[in-house]
Amino acid sequence: MSNRCYNKIIVIGDEYVLDYLENIQLDFETIRPVPKELKSLKNNDKACEWMSANWGVYRWLDEMITKRVSDTVLFAEINTAWKPPLEILQYVTSKFNVEIILDFEDPMAFAGIVSIRNGEIEEYRKEVTELHQCRGGINGRYETVEDMEKDVEEGNQILKDIKNKTNRVKEISFPSGNII
């Protein structure tokens, strides 16, 4: 079973660009479609690899919810499996000349906030879920403490990978709670 990664996304940009992104519900497949030759394969592993490389995730758990906050700000929310969809959001900023602030959290392993401009992660802040919050296999998820520690280690590796992509590291602010 996958961890849910909760993603709150703020897109800041030109009114007409945001009209388009809102209209398509910030759909990954519309923005950066999976190549037809990969979709038609009976074995979906290659398509999953492509999605992971180009979207950052190869599946999402819910539909994207979008809400226009103002002429130049779009709010979106989606739950993905295991990690945030950084690669597709980086692509969106480079293709549509927008800025994105992403607040993400996997309650069992990690959380963070990133600011993305021109296809690059510019600002980054992270938090790692405390080990003692997971100890004992919450909801029967882990059979042993070693299983849980391995999962936390994998979450930390994802965060290190994100940090390695950053140009500068500094704390940024993000509205607490639901901004709508």
Side-chain angles (χ1 to χ4, degrees):
M1 183 173 145
S2 65
N3 286 3
R4 280 186 183 261
C5 184
Y6 303 102
N7 302 281
K8 294 180 181 178
I9 304 163
I10 294 177
V11 185
I12 304 163
D14 180 73
E15 178 180 0
Y16 301 106
V17 171
L18 295 186
D19 287 344
Y20 172 73
L21 294 173
E22 181 181 25
N23 186 49
I24 65 166
Q25 296 286 297
L26 207 61
D27 179 61
F28 301 170
E29 179 68 27
T30 303
I31 294 168
R32 195 166 197 182
V34 176
K36 290 178 184 177
E37 62 273 11
L38 294 179
K39 282 184 181 180
S40 63
L41 294 175
K42 288 184 179 180
N43 184 343
N44 207 6
D45 288 345
K46 291 199 182 291
C48 289
E49 288 173 18
W50 186 94
M51 287 183 264
S52 193
N54 290 280
W55 296 348
V57 294
Y58 67 86
R59 73 178 217 182
W60 46 96
L61 303 170
D62 298 313
E63 293 295 315
M64 180 77 72
I65 298 168
T66 59
K67 171 102 173 137
R68 195 64 166 268
V69 177
S70 73
D71 288 345
T72 58
V73 178
L74 176 66
F75 176 79
E77 214 169 355
I78 191 168
N79 298 331
T80 54
W82 296 288
K83 60 183 185 170
L86 288 174
E87 285 75 0
I88 189 68
L89 297 179
Q90 287 176 279
Y91 180 79
V92 167
T93 63
S94 64
K95 181 174 180 175
F96 296 104
N97 194 28
V98 295
E99 177 183 352
I100 290 180
I101 299 171
L102 168 66
D103 181 359
F104 62 92
E105 176 185 17
D106 176 338
M108 296 298 288
F110 57 85
I113 298 174
V114 295
S115 175
I116 308 168
R117 291 183 194 98
N118 301 318
E120 299 293 326
I121 296 172
E122 293 196 346
E123 301 177 28
Y124 171 78
R125 181 173 63 98
K126 72 168 184 177
E127 299 169 4
V128 178
T129 302
E130 294 294 326
L131 187 63
H132 70 273
Q133 292 176 345
C134 299
R135 195 171 297 278
I138 290 179
N139 298 325
R141 175 145 186 237
Y142 302 106
E143 291 186 27
T144 67
V145 172
E146 289 79 21
D147 291 343
M148 181 269 309
E149 288 171 341
K150 181 181 176 197
D151 210 22
V152 170
E153 187 176 313
E154 288 172 4
N156 285 336
Q157 184 59 49
I158 291 169
L159 289 171
K160 285 178 189 173
D161 293 344
I162 294 168
K163 187 173 182 180
N164 289 337
K165 292 180 180 181
T166 62
N167 295 329
R168 57 192 162 100
V169 177
K170 67 160 88 163
E171 200 164 302
I172 60 174
S173 61
F174 190 86
S176 59
N178 196 339
I179 66 167
I180 296 170

